[in-house]
Amino acid sequence: MERGEWENQTFLMEFFLLGLGNAHELQIPLFLLCLTIYTVTIVGNILIIVLVVTDPHLHTPMYFFLVNLSSLETCYSSTILPRLLVSFLTGDRTISVQWCMAQFFFFGTFATSECYLLAAMSYDRYLAICQPLLYGGIMNWKVCIQLVTGSWFAGLLISAGITSCLSRQRFCGPNAIDHFFCEEAPLLEISCSDTGMIRILTIILSFPDVVFPFLFTLASYVCIIADILRIPSTSGRHKAFSTCSSHLTMVIVFYGTLIIVYMLPRTAPLRQLNKIFSFFYTVLTPLINPLIYSLRNREVKRALGK
């Protein structure tokens, strides 16, 4: 765009989130649904944190990672749901550019950190099942803290890089974001700057952001499943698989919906479907975490019973 054309542009100070739909009669039911989901998510994840902290039997690396995962899920859902609840209740869907960038930054930080934390948890399960004699020596508390700290730091660093580039974009209209939160793809669609560099940066960062943690997690579970299948007794296989089934379920749900969201082309007929899957991995995944670990894990159920 020429200099004179830039000077004639009026740059946006706020965005309008189109949300999940415009049907007025659905706003209250959607508000009640999201309020219920958010309440159960927060209470469930905080309950898991309290159980692990107060029960000495759960002071192990596996549950140390679980506490951090529950903390992530609590922060993760809190970046999106409170704003969504306000829009359902008041009808106000506007969000300032600054708040939009802040939401994008925190969402990116927690999502990336979760990818790395799930990889760290898969490594913990790999050592516990495939290398039980070495587990105690390798997975000590120093290593656990380093893995968790590295997960949070990686999420913070990668998200800061992308947000910094995105905040330099010029948005000059229309101001409507076809989503229920500030996400990169719909934001770039309304940018009047050259988006080539940020798209290339996003592709480059997607490898340390999602691809590498996913491949590491996948490789860990391939080794785990192969090792479990070599166990001669059925009870032995069942016992070994039960130690990682909850985490494996979380990995499948998280990465399954994440891959569908970012593999779906953003064409007009598929945008509503994209929003549905985005709602699943941003809103429902944090809800599923406490349910999976409380219903499928004997030690958590025993601690809850106490």
Side-chain angles (χ1 to χ4, degrees), residues 104-105 108-109 111-113 115-116 153-166 168 184 188 196-214 255 258 262:
F104 176 79
F105 169 73
T109 297
T112 304
S113 298
C115 291
Y116 278 91
F153 182 75
L156 186 67
L157 189 63
I158 293 173
S159 183
I162 298 178
T163 306
S164 176
C165 292
L166 188 62
R168 293 190 178 96
E184 183 180 8
L188 292 181
M197 286 302 296
I198 192 172
R199 291 182 189 277
I200 292 172
L201 178 65
T202 301
I203 292 172
I204 293 172
L205 290 180
S206 68
F207 285 90
D209 183 357
V210 177
V211 177
F212 291 159
F214 171 69
Y255 277 112
L258 189 67
Y262 289 102

Side-chain angles (χ1 to χ4, degrees), residues 18 20-30 88 93:
L18 295 182
L20 296 172
N22 294 319
H24 180 72
E25 64 274 8
L26 293 178
Q27 300 308 299
I28 296 302
L30 285 173
F88 286 141
R93 299 184 184 180

Side-chain angles (χ1 to χ4, degrees), residues 219-288:
S220 298
Y221 273 102
V222 167
C223 295
I224 289 170
I225 293 172
D227 202 69
I228 289 175
L229 293 176
R230 286 196 291 267
I231 298 175
S233 66
T234 303
S235 60
R237 288 196 297 270
H238 177 74
K239 183 178 179 181
F241 187 73
S242 65
T243 64
C244 64
S245 59
S246 297
H247 180 247
L248 180 58
T249 305
M250 273 297 301
V251 168
I252 292 171
V253 170
F254 179 76
Y255 277 112
T257 52
L258 189 67
I259 289 171
I260 291 172
V261 166
Y262 289 102
M263 289 299 289
L264 275 176
R266 286 190 59 80
T267 57
L270 293 176
R271 290 197 177 189
Q272 289 301 319
L273 186 61
N274 186 288
K275 288 183 191 179
I276 291 172
F277 282 108
S278 293
F279 185 83
F280 197 93
Y281 93 88
T282 57
V283 176
L284 294 183
T285 299
L287 169 69
I288 291 171

